[in-house]
């Protein structure tokens, strides 16, 4: 220990006497370590941003939406032939094709009153004698307890004339779309499926929101939701207040959480609106919080669905509008791998609950958000690049999308680390160069020290410790530089940079080891000097 | 018992095919408390002798006993210890480290002493040595802030600091003017008289050699003459009083 301090004393003295060169060598080391720290920070940042985006994009998120707009006219027409079900078409002229001799209006009216008995293979017809003459149309469904209307909507905004239209018109009038078939009871059942983590019911609509006793008004997105929503939206923060509580959702309390954009528009930028009252449907809602984004990738912008929006208990909407339907049920799975399995289970469950016969298509849609993104957001060419050499983008699952993104990320990090390693090596060579120069310049000093009793080991130790000390100080300065650099990159270019203490420590250790390695040669050279020649060296 | 005992010391350098006989069998004893001046023109072998006496170099043959210990066959590390403990060097060029205080310069030999010495003790001993050469008040001055004579006195303090048996002064006045030279010689004389330190002085100037109690003349690698001398007192004011007072 004392010997260590002795070497340290000598090294500190040596560096003090050669300040300028020492500073230059430290600078080299500092830049090297700074580059390493920065690249590690950028790599880590990219990784976290990627994870965050995957989570934000819903790697484990399934969205159950009411209605199923996919089947089209042709599918309907094929249905009879393949025995896949019976359906309804809002094209009056197509019925006569199927049912010769019956006018479409009549058919509509009559078919709405058709029911099937559970036991019988033949349909029980309430008021129409003509209908049994259409066995091909409904025979396939005779196994089902009930004849269920399925409306195939090419246009979700279309107004329908079938028996459930009244309900749907109610929903539609409330702005809940024309085909809200999901209920909170469905949501509760979904929550029982193994592998499901969170289940959040949702009602979504565009609404005008204004501040009580004020002119401030903003046309934005209304989300009726539940207390667990922030658990699904991992990138959320609450600059003011909090999100809805379980109790508020239970009671249908008239409270609202404003998206950052809405809060800024209604109350002014960064003003805390908690405690203020906003008005929706002429009903007062107390503001209890503001939601913002933690992620650089999803900054609140006007028109987005998360922050140009406000959140109220779904139960409050149901209470005020006397409704029970939902537009969506958001479901997260415990792990990303379970999405497919859970999605199947939800489909089975809802088909059973909605009493949809085998031959009929779903009246809901289960999609992973990543699928939506892939389907809409990413151009297939881009998706193909992201997914590497996968055969088909359509077959891409969330899991392999995530893997391929991680691979891409690893490549980037490796590249950055490579660049940083080169700059560190340059820093190390700089240290070696300084020390070699220093050995030459200080030959007389080395000779003197030897004459005064320094052993070769003392001399080597001094130079080695100088190298280590240089690298250490340069390394610490480099960490500071790296922190500053990644901070600036983050501010200037919105690059994501995360400095982990471990990365900083590793960079420092690498610097010191490099310094020591590059210090060995100059140190040995100094210790091998002949004291007589060194003393007379000019 | 002599401090230094040389027996038939030979040193042969090989330069290409040529052999240069720097020392051709030197034998001499130096007793404790002697002030020996070794004189000779350049090329006479006095520098080689100095290097061998200072344990910076090994003789090709012969035996060198320092304090009754045969040092001619010691390893490099052992020689370093001998230089550190037993020998104090004073060089022509002072060889003080730049951008370093007088005290720090004096401390250098202590840094290499084993067992390792604490910083406080090092400083105390350096201060004591500086006081001996009359520079106690200049301890914290940078070496480049001192005059030539002061610098050489710092160098002498450095040679003294580890209480050696022998001080080897290699042309200590070579870079100094006459008056300062006399000052420095008085310091050396004083060390011998007051502290009983054996001094070996190497010079080519007879006037400087005259400060010794014994003058050995070397020529062509051999001793030409070896005679006792009544030390020259010089003209300058004795500095010993102010130094040791």
């Amino acid at each position: 220990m004392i010997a260590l301090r002795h070497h340290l004393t000598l090294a500190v003295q040596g560096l003090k006497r050669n300040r300028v060169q020492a500073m230059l060598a430290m600078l080299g080391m500092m830049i090297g370590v700074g580059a390493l720290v920065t690249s590690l920070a950028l790599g880590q940042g990219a990784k976290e941003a990627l994870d965050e985006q995957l989570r934000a994009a819903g790697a484990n998120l399934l969205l159950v939406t009411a209605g199923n707009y996919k089947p089209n006219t042709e599918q309907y027409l094929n249905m009879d032939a393949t025995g896949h079900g019976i359906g309804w078409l809002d094209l009056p002229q197509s019925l006569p094709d199927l049912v010769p001799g019956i006018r479409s209006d009549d058919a509509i009216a009559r078919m709405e009153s058709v029911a099937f008995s559970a036991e019988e293979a033949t349909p029980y017809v309430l008021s129409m004698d003509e209908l049994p003459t259409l066995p091909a149309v409904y025979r396939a469904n005779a196994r089902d307890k009930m004849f269920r209307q399925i409306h195939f909507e090419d246009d979700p905004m279309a107004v329908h004339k079938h028996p459930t239209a009244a309900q749907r018109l109610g929903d539609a009038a409330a702005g809940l779309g024309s085909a809200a078939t999901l209920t909170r009871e469905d949501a509760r059942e979904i929550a029982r499926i193994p592998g499901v983590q969170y289940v959040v019911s949702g009602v979504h609509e565009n609404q005008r929101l204004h501040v009580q006793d004020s002119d401030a008004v903003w046309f934005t997105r209304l989300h009726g939701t539940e207390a667990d929503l922030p658990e699904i939206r991992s990138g959320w923060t609450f600059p003011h207040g909090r999100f809805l509580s379980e109790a508020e959702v239970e009671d249908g309390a008239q409270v609202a959480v404003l998206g950052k954009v809405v809060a800024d528009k209604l109350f002014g930028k960064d003003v805390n609106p908690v405690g203020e009252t906003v008005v929706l449907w002429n009903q007062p809602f107390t503001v209890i919080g503001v939601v913002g984004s933690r992620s650089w990738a999803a900054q609140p912008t006007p028109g987005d669905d998360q922050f140009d929006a406000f959140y109220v208990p779904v139960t409050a909407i149901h209470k005020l509008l006397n409704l029970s339907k939902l537009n969506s049920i958001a479901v997260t799975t415990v792990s990303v791998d379970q999405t497919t399995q859970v999605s199947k289970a939800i489909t089975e469950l809802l088909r059973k609950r909605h009493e949809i016969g085998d031959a009929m298509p779903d009246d809901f849609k289960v999609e992973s958000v990543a699928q939506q993104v892939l389907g809409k957001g990413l151009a297939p060419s881009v998706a193909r690049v992201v997914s590497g050499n996968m055969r088909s983008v359509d077959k891409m699952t969330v899991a392999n999308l995530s893997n391929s993104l991680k691979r891409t990320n690893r490549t980037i990090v490796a590249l950055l680390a490579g660049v940083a390693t080169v700059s560190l090596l340059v820093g190390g060579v700089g240290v070696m160069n300084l020390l070699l120069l220093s050995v030459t310049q200080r030959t007389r000093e080395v000779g003197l020290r030897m004459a005064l009793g320094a052993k070769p080991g003392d001399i080597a130790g001094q130079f080695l410790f100088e190298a280590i000390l240089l690298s250490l100080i340069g390394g610490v300065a480099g960490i500071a530089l790296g922190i500053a650099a990644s901070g600036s990159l983050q501010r200037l270019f919105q690059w994501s940079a995360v400095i982990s203490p471990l990365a900083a420590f590793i960079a420092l250790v690498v610097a010191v080891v490099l310094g020591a390695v590059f210090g060995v040669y100059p140190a040995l050279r100094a210790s091998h000097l002949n004291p007589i020649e060194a003393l007379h060296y000019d | 018992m002599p401090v230094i005992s040389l027996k038939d010391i030979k040193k042969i350098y090989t330069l290409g095919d040529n052999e240069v006989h720097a020392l051709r069998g030197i034998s001499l004893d130096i007793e404790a408390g002697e002030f020996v001046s070794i004189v000779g023109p350049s090329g006479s072998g006095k520098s080689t002798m100095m290097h061998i006496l200072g344990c910076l170099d090994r003789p090709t043959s012969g035996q060198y006993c320092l304090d009754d210990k045969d040092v001619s066959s010691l390893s490099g590390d052992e020689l370093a210890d001998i230089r550190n403990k037993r020998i104090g060097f004073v060089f022509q060029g002072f060889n003080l480290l730049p951008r370093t205080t007088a005290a720090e310069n004096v401390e250098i030999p202590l840094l290499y002493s084993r067992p390792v010495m604490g910083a406080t003790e090092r400083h105390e001993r350096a201060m004591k040595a500086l006081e001996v050469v009359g520079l106690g008040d200049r301890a914290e001055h940078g070496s480049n802030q001192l005059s030539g004579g002061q610098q050489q006195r710092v160098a002498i303090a450095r040679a003294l600091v580890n209480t050696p048996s022998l001080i080897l002064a290699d042309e200590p006045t070579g870079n100094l003017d006459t008056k300062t030279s006399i000052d420095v010689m008085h310091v050396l004389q004083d060390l011998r008289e007051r502290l009983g330190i054996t001094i070996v002085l190497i010079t080519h100037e007879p006037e400087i050699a005259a400060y010794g109690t014994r003058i050995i003349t070397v020529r062509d690698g051999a001793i030409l003459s070896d005679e006792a001398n009544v030390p020259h007192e010089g003209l300058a004011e004795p500095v010993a009083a102010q130094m040791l007072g």
Side-chain angles (χ1 to χ4, degrees):
Chain A
M1 202 58 220
I2 298 173
L4 190 77
R5 233 176 57 199
H6 158 76
H7 282 298
L8 217 65
T9 313
L10 289 174
V12 170
Q13 284 181 359
L15 289 181
K16 268 192 194 160
R17 273 200 311 279
N18 298 277
R19 254 182 218 135
V20 178
Q21 284 125 329
M23 292 297 267
L24 285 174
M26 273 181 212
L27 194 72
M29 215 57 187
M30 181 173 118
I31 290 168
V33 172
L36 184 65
V37 167
T38 309
S39 62
L40 286 177
L42 288 178
Q44 183 69 18
K47 183 176 174 296
E48 292 193 6
L50 182 63
D51 286 351
E52 198 176 304
Q53 273 175 309
L54 277 175
R55 272 200 310 275
N60 64 340
L61 179 62
L62 292 168
L63 203 60
V64 185
T65 45
N68 189 340
Y69 304 134
K70 273 210 175 136
N72 55 26
T73 310
E74 275 164 13
Q75 280 172 312
Y76 171 76
L77 291 174
N78 287 335
M79 218 170 275
D80 179 84
T82 55
H84 264 51
I86 186 167
W88 195 268
L89 197 66
D90 263 348
L91 301 170
Q93 70 275 16
S94 55
L95 260 176
D97 291 345
L98 288 165
V99 189
I102 299 172
R103 285 203 311 119
S104 58
D105 286 352
D106 286 343
I108 291 163
R110 287 162 190 169
M111 285 186 77
E112 278 174 355
S113 52
V114 169
F116 292 93
S117 76
E119 295 79 17
E120 287 171 295
T122 31
Y124 173 67
V125 182
L126 280 176
S127 62
M128 273 186 64
D129 296 333
E130 298 97 321
L131 275 179
T133 62
L134 308 167
V137 178
Y138 51 72
R139 189 179 292 144
N141 306 283
R143 287 179 302 262
D144 293 321
K145 280 184 197 163
M146 284 277 291
F147 180 95
R148 258 192 108 78
Q149 303 286 350
I150 300 168
H151 50 288
F152 300 102
E153 294 154 303
D154 289 324
D155 174 9
M157 297 311 286
V159 177
H160 307 286
K161 291 181 269 175
H162 48 73
T164 56
Q167 276 173 287
R168 297 211 175 90
L169 276 173
D171 289 346
L176 301 184
S178 51
T181 53
L182 299 168
T183 63
R184 291 197 75 205
E185 198 51 45
D186 290 336
R188 271 191 280 276
E189 290 298 321
I190 288 171
R192 298 212 178 97
I193 295 172
V196 167
Q197 192 181 22
Y198 294 107
V199 176
V200 176
S201 308
V203 170
H204 315 287
E205 185 41 44
N206 295 328
Q207 280 297 334
R208 271 158 59 91
L209 184 68
H210 67 88
V211 181
Q212 196 170 47
D213 305 325
S214 154
D215 294 338
V217 66
W218 187 243
F219 190 78
T220 184
R221 193 90 175 124
L222 159 68
H223 295 295
T225 186
E226 293 185 281
D228 280 339
L229 189 63
E231 306 293 342
I232 293 178
R233 309 274 187 214
S234 57
W236 277 10
T237 57
F238 293 91
H240 305 295
R242 56 174 177 85
F243 200 68
L244 309 171
S245 71
E246 295 280 358
E248 281 160 351
V249 173
E250 197 59 43
D251 301 345
Q254 292 187 3
V255 290
V257 176
L258 306 184
K260 185 85 175 67
V261 175
V262 175
D264 286 352
K265 292 289 180 190
L266 290 181
F267 295 96
K269 194 157 174 55
D270 297 331
V271 173
N272 181 0
V274 172
E276 302 283 344
T277 302
V278 289
V279 178
L280 169 71
W281 299 312
N282 288 324
Q283 292 290 320
F285 281 76
T286 308
V287 176
I288 56 165
V290 173
V291 59
S293 174
R294 183 196 308 152
S295 162
W296 62 275
Q299 286 303 310
T301 36
D304 72 22
D305 192 56
Q306 291 189 43
F307 307 110
D308 188 356
F310 66 108
Y311 300 84
V312 301
V314 63
T315 45
I317 295 178
H318 282 165
K319 228 159 76 176
L320 285 171
L321 300 182
N322 195 17
L323 288 173
S324 61
K325 302 294 184 187
L326 303 173
N327 292 110
S328 72
I329 300 171
V331 180
T332 57
T333 57
V334 175
S335 82
V336 174
D337 319 335
Q338 289 170 304
T339 47
T340 315
Q341 169 209 328
V342 169
S343 146
K344 271 186 196 140
I346 292 174
T347 307
E348 269 170 42
L349 176 84
L350 289 182
R351 282 182 72 90
K352 210 170 130 207
R353 286 184 53 79
H354 294 183
E355 296 173 20
I356 299 168
D358 289 349
M360 299 207 209
D362 303 336
D363 64 347
F364 57 87
K365 214 158 43 171
V366 184
E367 276 184 313
S368 83
V369 172
Q371 271 171 334
Q372 289 184 331
V373 168
L374 275 184
K376 298 176 197 160
L378 282 179
S381 55
V382 176
R384 227 167 266 128
V385 170
V386 171
S387 64
N389 52 6
M390 279 193 305
R391 253 182 296 153
S392 161
V393 178
D394 311 330
K395 287 180 186 149
M396 189 187 299
T397 64
V398 174
N400 54 32
L401 168 69
S402 140
N403 282 341
S404 80
L405 285 178
K406 274 176 190 157
R407 267 200 307 278
T408 311
N409 186 43
R410 269 202 294 275
T411 314
I412 296 169
V413 171
L415 191 73
L416 287 171
V419 171
T421 307
V422 170
S423 53
L424 255 185
L425 278 175
V426 171
V429 171
V431 167
M432 179 154 83
N433 189 40
L434 164 93
L435 287 174
L436 282 176
L437 195 73
S438 173
V439 169
T440 312
Q441 283 183 338
R442 289 156 70 188
T443 299
R444 272 176 80 95
E445 177 190 328
V446 171
L448 173 77
R449 288 182 184 275
M450 283 176 158
L452 298 183
K455 293 169 188 150
D458 291 317
I459 300 293
Q462 176 180 346
F463 280 93
L464 204 58
F465 266 76
E466 283 187 23
I468 291 171
L469 217 63
L470 274 177
S471 316
L472 192 70
I473 299 170
V476 170
I479 288 174
L481 179 75
I483 290 172
S486 35
S488 321
L489 286 175
Q490 200 163 7
R491 268 193 309 280
L492 291 177
F493 303 112
Q494 265 74 52
W495 290 4
S496 176
V498 176
I499 292 174
S500 75
L502 182 70
F505 180 73
I506 288 172
L508 194 63
V509 169
V510 168
V512 169
V513 169
L514 258 181
V517 167
F518 281 105
V520 166
Y521 175 62
L524 286 180
R525 229 171 93 153
S527 69
H528 281 98
L529 285 173
N530 177 329
I532 300 167
E533 284 167 20
L535 264 174
H536 296 124
Y537 183 89
D538 287 315
Chain B
M1 182 195 79
V3 175
I4 290 173
S5 172
L6 299 182
K7 286 203 183 76
D8 197 26
I9 293 287
K10 286 181 182 160
K11 182 72 187 177
I12 301 162
Y13 294 109
T14 314
L15 296 172
D17 293 338
N18 294 344
E19 283 194 343
V20 178
H21 291 256
L23 295 178
R24 299 165 186 270
I26 300 252
S27 298
L28 69 91
D29 284 352
I30 295 172
E31 298 294 330
E34 278 193 282
F35 188 148
V36 180
S37 299
I38 298 178
V39 264
S42 48
S44 60
K46 64 182 193 307
S47 283
T48 306
M49 212 168 138
M50 154 91 186
H51 293 148
I52 287 171
L53 284 176
C55 294
L56 288 166
D57 206 353
R58 291 193 194 83
T60 311
S61 68
Q63 195 189 41
Y64 170 24
C65 291
L66 179 65
D67 282 339
D68 235 14
K69 185 175 180 183
D70 186 358
V71 296
S72 19
S73 57
L74 292 180
S75 74
D77 278 4
E78 287 167 319
L79 286 179
D81 274 336
I82 300 277
R83 291 197 295 270
N84 184 252
K85 286 263 180 340
R86 309 261 172 100
I87 302 169
F89 286 93
V90 179
F91 304 99
Q92 175 176 0
F94 322 140
N95 277 341
L96 299 184
L97 294 184
R99 296 181 288 286
T100 309
T101 65
E104 280 170 341
N105 267 293
V106 176
E107 279 180 45
I108 294 173
L110 303 178
L111 289 173
Y112 300 108
S113 297
R114 294 290 183 280
V116 168
M117 199 178 280
T120 326
E121 194 188 345
R122 283 204 308 266
H123 192 72
E124 277 168 14
R125 289 185 62 166
M127 289 307 293
K128 218 176 273 175
L130 280 169
E131 276 158 26
V132 168
V133 298
L135 286 176
D137 55 339
R138 300 288 161 90
E140 303 309 322
H141 285 229
S143 50
N144 48 344
Q145 289 172 286
L146 301 172
S147 70
Q150 285 170 330
Q151 288 191 39
Q152 194 56 300
R153 280 198 271 166
V154 171
I156 292 170
R158 182 177 64 194
L160 273 178
V161 75
N162 231 350
T163 56
S165 344
L166 168 70
I167 284 184
L168 267 179
D170 185 9
E171 304 270 13
T173 59
N175 286 7
L176 300 174
D177 61 35
T178 312
K179 183 176 177 296
T180 325
S181 298
I182 293 165
D183 277 354
V184 167
M185 291 321 294
H186 280 140
V187 172
L188 289 175
Q189 276 187 328
D190 209 72
L191 290 179
R192 182 188 83 84
E193 281 162 22
R194 303 280 307 223
L195 307 174
I197 294 175
T198 313
I199 291 168
V200 174
L201 170 78
I202 292 188
T203 183
H204 64 276
E205 295 174 83
E207 318 78 272
I208 295 298
Y211 285 86
T213 56
R214 175 179 169 191
I215 298 176
I216 298 175
T217 312
V218 187
R219 186 149 299 171
D220 298 329
I223 293 173
L224 195 68
S225 69
D226 181 351
E227 45 205 28
N229 179 49
V230 179
H232 177 44
E233 291 295 335
L235 303 167
E237 290 285 304
V239 287
Q242 78 190 59
M243 271 170 16
L244 299 172

